[in-house]
Amino acid sequence: MSPVHPPRLAVRMIAGVIAEPERSLLLSDLHEGFDARVRRAGAGAARRWYWKQTVILVAGLAGRGVRDAVALGALRIDVARAFRSLRRSPGLTAAGILTLGIGVAAPTGTFAVVDAMFARLPVDESEDVTAVQLVDRSDGRRIGVPLDVVERWSSASSFSALGAYDTDRAATSGEGLTPRRVDVASVTSGVFDALGVRPVIGRAIVPSDGRVDAAPVVLVSEALWADWFDRDPDALGRTIRVGERSFDLVGVMPSGFGFPESHEVWTALRPAATGDERLSVVGRLSAGLSTGAAANELAAMLQGALAEGAVEDPATRERLARAAVVVDEYVLAYHGRTLRTLMSGLNLLIGFLVLIAAANLSAFFLARGTTRSAETAVRLAVGGGRLAVVRPLVLEALVVCGAGTAVGVVVATYTTPWMGSTLEARGSLPYWADFGLSPRTLAFAAVLMLGATAVTGVWPALELPGSCLRTW
C-alpha cells in the first residue's frame, strides 16, 4: 500500500501563513496526528481531520496574532499527542493513575472529614455564635458554670443572647408512641435565642418555663415528630414521658437541628434539676464585638459576683476564683483547637506522602523523556523554545495526574460518607457535620493534582537532554 500524505493544499496554506521555526514544529505535530488517524480511522477521516485543523488555525490568525494562534494550535496538538503517547503504554499509564488515585483519595478523604467536623454551625451569622467556658488556671481543665453565674452573665452587653444547657440520655415513651432512648438537652430560653433558631410549629422554651413551679414542657426534633405523630400539627399538647417525668409537647424544631450535638429532645433547664458543675454556655456576640472583649467583660462580672458573695457554696467559690473565662467560636470550642491542629497536621503529612509517591512516579516520566532525545534535538535544531520542548512531557504528566486525581476523588466520594457513618455509630458525630465533598475539598484535591504534576512532569522535563533547559 502506497503511503498516505496530508492534503498538499492544506500544507501549503499553513506554510504560506506561518514562518519558521513555528512552521516546522507545527507541521511535524500535524503530520504525526495525521498518521495516527490514518491507522485508526482511514485516509478519508485523517484528511478531514487535517483540513479541520488547518481551517481552525488559519481562521484563528484572523482574530489573533500569528504567534498566539500557532501557540494555541500547537497546544491542542500536544494535548492530543499526550493522550496518544500514554495509550501506547497502557499498563504503566494505568499503574500511574491508580497509584496517584489511591494516594489522592487518602488526603482528600481526611480533608473532607476535617472540613465536615469543623464546618460552621448551620445557623445565621454562625461566626458570632460562641461557647463560653471556665478553665482552671492551674491545670487547664474545664470548670462547670453555675446557673446563677449564667443568669448574671445574661445581662452582659457583649452578647445579644446567652444561655446554658445540660445534656443527658433518657428513655422516652407515651401513649401510642414507640419507646426509644434519645439524647436530651435541658436548656434555658437564651440557647435558642443565641442560635437564632425557632420551632417549625409551636413555641420555644421561654424564661417562665425555667421556674420550679412551671408546667414541664418539651420540644422534639422533626424526625421524632414524623416518627411518632406523622407530622400531625395537632400533636402539640400531647404528653411525652422523658425519664421519670411527664412533659407537655409545645414545639417541633426544624429538620436537621440537633444542638448541642445530635440531640432530639429539649426540656427547660431548672435550678432544682441541674448539676451546676456540668452546665455549658453558648452565646451570640453583639455586633462588632470580639471574643477577647467579651471574655474580659464576663471575667469582670464573675469577679464581681465572687466579691459580692453571690456564690454561697465554698467549694464552688474556690473553683471559680481560680478560673479564667474563655470565649471561642462554638465549633472550635466543641472540638478544641488542639484537635484541629493535629488533624490539619495529619492531613499535611498525608499530602506530603502523596508528593513522595509522585516523585517515585517521576522516574517513569524521566525515562519517557530520555527516549525522546531525537525529538528534543529536532525541536531545538529548528529553533523551538524551551516551552516547546518541555510542554509535551508536562502535558503527559498533567493527564496522568488529572486522571489519578479524578480516581481519588471518586474513591473519596464513597469512603468519606462511610467514615461519617462509622463516627455516627460511635455517637461522636455532631449534627452540623456533612460528609459530602465540599468545594473546599475539591479545591484541595486540585492543589494535590498540581503539586503532583510539578513533581512528576516539570522536574523530569528539566532533566531532558539539552543543558539549556537546566539554566532556564
Side-chain angles (χ1 to χ4, degrees), residues 35-46:
D35 292 339
R37 280 166 175 77
V38 169
R39 292 190 296 270
R40 186 170 65 251

Side-chain angles (χ1 to χ4, degrees), residues 109-121:
T110 304
F111 185 92
V113 171
V114 175
D115 188 54
M117 297 294 284
F118 288 92
R120 293 186 182 276
L121 286 175

Side-chain angles (χ1 to χ4, degrees), residues 99-132:
T99 298
L100 281 178
I102 296 173
V104 168
T108 300
T110 304
F111 185 92
V113 171
V114 175
D115 188 54
M117 297 294 284
F118 288 92
R120 293 186 182 276
L121 286 175
V123 298
D124 293 337
E125 299 176 339
S126 60
E127 66 277 5
D128 292 333
V129 178
T130 60
V132 181

Side-chain angles (χ1 to χ4, degrees), residues 86 89-99:
L86 291 172
S89 305
L92 290 176
T93 301
I97 291 174
L98 291 178
T99 298

Side-chain angles (χ1 to χ4, degrees), residues 15-172:
V17 296
I18 300 176
E20 295 289 358
E22 289 87 356
R23 179 199 304 165
S24 296
L25 290 173
L26 186 58
L27 288 176
S28 175
D29 289 338
L30 284 172
H31 290 178
E32 182 178 340
F34 177 82
D35 292 339
R37 280 166 175 77
V38 169
R39 292 190 296 270
R40 186 170 65 251
R47 289 192 178 94
R48 287 192 296 272
W49 173 85
Y50 200 98
W51 271 111
K52 179 180 178 182
Q53 302 305 311
T54 302
V55 171
I56 292 174
L57 180 62
V58 174
L61 294 176
R64 300 172 178 263
V66 174
R67 185 175 298 275
D68 290 342
V70 171
L72 182 62
L75 177 61
R76 185 185 298 113
I77 293 172
D78 278 344
V79 171
R81 169 186 280 179
F83 280 97
R84 291 198 306 272
S85 179
L86 291 172
R87 282 200 299 266
R88 298 191 189 105
S89 305
L92 290 176
T93 301
I97 291 174
L98 291 178
T99 298
L100 281 178
I102 296 173
V104 168
T108 300
T110 304
F111 185 92
V113 171
V114 175
D115 188 54
M117 297 294 284
F118 288 92
R120 293 186 182 276
L121 286 175
V123 298
D124 293 337
E125 299 176 339
S126 60
E127 66 277 5
D128 292 333
V129 178
T130 60
V132 181
Q133 298 175 318
L134 293 179
V135 178
D136 194 317
R137 290 189 179 93
S138 61
D139 55 18
R141 290 187 301 177
R142 179 185 168 192
I143 300 174
V145 184
L147 185 57
D148 54 358
V149 172
V150 176
E151 292 173 347
R152 180 177 289 254
W153 281 352
S154 298
S155 61
S157 61
S158 298
F159 292 89
S160 59
L162 187 141
Y165 61 91
D166 193 10
T167 59
D168 195 6
R169 188 167 178 81
T172 57

